[in-house]
Amino acid sequence: PLRDLFAATFFLFFGLQTNAGALAAALPLALLLGLITALTKVATGWFAAGRLGVGTLGRLRAGAALTPRGEFSIVIAGLGAGAGMAAGLTPLTAAYVLVMAVGGSILVRVVEPLWRGRRARGAATR
């Protein structure tokens, strides 16, 4: 319970430090970073699940499940901003985590229906 309390306190403090007006300026770069990391996370999940002999859909699910994870970025940004490294790092990190949380969660929900729809269309054309 204390771990969860401290985690919630950390995220609340990080959110209060973030200038909401600066999120819009950081959004294009956050979207680009989100796309790149989503592709690498899906590839990592694909490779790791493939090594275990998992089928195509399971490999896609494994990769999609990795995409909404970005909390470690907040920790790194918090350390960097605390050290005075870059003032724009905090809004970029907040925008990135929001993009990954929303986009990754959507990807997790749609990967299986998209795959099944693609397979059904492929079977219908044969």
Side-chain angles (χ1 to χ4, degrees):
L2 284 178
R3 180 194 66 177
D4 295 337
L5 174 67
F6 291 135
T9 304
F10 173 80
F11 288 114
L12 175 68
F13 181 69
F14 184 81
L16 291 174
Q17 280 185 317
T18 304
N19 178 3
L23 287 178
L27 193 57
L29 184 55
L31 287 169
L32 177 64
L33 290 173
L35 177 64
I36 292 168
T37 56
L39 291 173
T40 58
K41 288 177 181 187
V42 169
T44 300
W46 177 273
F47 176 74
R51 291 197 48 151
L52 296 172
V54 176
T56 303
L57 181 57
R59 293 168 85 172
L60 286 172
R61 278 192 208 138
L66 293 174
T67 56
R69 310 292 178 244
E71 296 84 5
F72 189 67
S73 303
I74 292 179
V75 175
I76 298 300
L79 292 172
M85 291 179 66
L89 191 59
T90 302
L92 175 62
T93 304
Y96 170 77
V97 171
L98 286 172
V99 164
M100 293 307 289
V102 173
S105 297
I106 292 170
L107 181 63
V108 168
R109 297 282 302 204
V110 301
V111 71
E112 186 170 348
L114 287 175
W115 175 254
R116 293 198 187 283
R118 181 176 171 263
R119 299 248 353 226
R121 282 190 307 274
T125 60
R126 288 184 208 166

